[in-house]
């Protein structure tokens, strides 16, 4: 019986040591995080002399409830509009097509370069090649 009691006390002591080391590690990480938040933020890098052309492709398939928000979020990108091209790649078979077309027309009227591409049925790679051609 004495051996079982000693083993239980030793196991209990090891558990306490594990909890102590875990707590000290968490305390150390908390100190590091507080120090990192107290430092001033790094300055933003300067804007490039010439912005590269960027095409953002939005693959859509029956996204009735989110298609407008997705297009709005991409249209709100802070990027020169003459260098940004948005493509809504739409395979939808429901009312999403009309919603996407209306939102694309709205942003095209504002001068944003945006296309609503109804893709051909087939494999995904073939669809992307069709949109980028």
């Amino acid at each position: 019986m004495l051996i079982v009691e000693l083993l239980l006390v030793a196991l209990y002591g090891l558990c306490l040591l594990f909890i102590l080391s875990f707590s000290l590690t968490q305390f150390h990480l908390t100190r590091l995080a507080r120090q990192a938040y107290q430092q001033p933020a790094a300055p933003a890098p300067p804007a490039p002399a010439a912005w590269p052309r960027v095409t953002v492709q939005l693959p859509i398939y029956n996204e009735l409830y989110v298609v407008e928000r997705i297009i709005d979020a991409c249209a709100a990108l802070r990027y020169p509009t003459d260098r940004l091209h948005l493509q809504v790649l739409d395979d939808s078979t429901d009312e999403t097509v009309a919603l996407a077309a209306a939102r694309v027309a709205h942003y095209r009227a504002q001068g944003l370069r945006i296309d609503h591409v109804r893709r051909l049925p087939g494999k995904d790679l073939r669809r992307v090649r069709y949109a980028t051609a």
Side-chain angles (χ1 to χ4, degrees), residues 23-56:
S23 300
L24 289 175
T25 303
Q26 293 300 314
F27 177 71
H28 178 65
L29 289 174
T30 303
R31 282 186 39 228
L32 289 176
R34 290 180 63 114
Q35 289 174 359
Y37 282 123
Q38 290 174 354
Q39 294 177 356
W51 290 84
R53 291 184 182 269
V54 173
T55 299
V56 178

Side-chain angles (χ1 to χ4, degrees), residues 22-119:
F22 182 79
S23 300
L24 289 175
T25 303
Q26 293 300 314
F27 177 71
H28 178 65
L29 289 174
T30 303
R31 282 186 39 228
L32 289 176
R34 290 180 63 114
Q35 289 174 359
Y37 282 123
Q38 290 174 354
Q39 294 177 356
W51 290 84
R53 291 184 182 269
V54 173
T55 299
V56 178
Q57 293 183 329
L58 303 171
I60 305 291
Y61 181 73
N62 294 345
E63 301 286 345
L64 177 65
Y65 301 108
V66 297
V67 66
E68 292 175 323
R69 286 184 287 160
I70 292 171
I71 295 172
D72 292 341
C74 287
L77 289 173
R78 294 183 307 190
Y79 205 81
T81 56
D82 61 324
R83 310 299 284 174
L84 179 65
H85 182 207
L86 299 178
Q87 289 181 340
V88 179
L89 309 177
D90 193 1
D91 288 338
S92 299
T93 58
D94 61 356
E95 298 86 22
T96 305
V97 177
L99 292 173
R103 189 57 70 175
V104 166
H106 168 75
Y107 283 113
R108 188 176 290 150
Q110 292 182 1
L112 188 63
R113 189 171 161 216
I114 183 168
D115 296 323
H116 185 216
V117 179
R118 294 284 296 157
R119 300 185 292 177

Side-chain angles (χ1 to χ4, degrees), residues 113-130:
R113 189 171 161 216
I114 183 168
D115 296 323
H116 185 216
V117 179
R118 294 284 296 157
R119 300 185 292 177
L120 299 174
K123 300 289 183 190
D124 286 337
L125 186 58
R126 190 175 345 150
R127 293 174 181 166
V128 172
R129 286 183 187 150
Y130 172 74

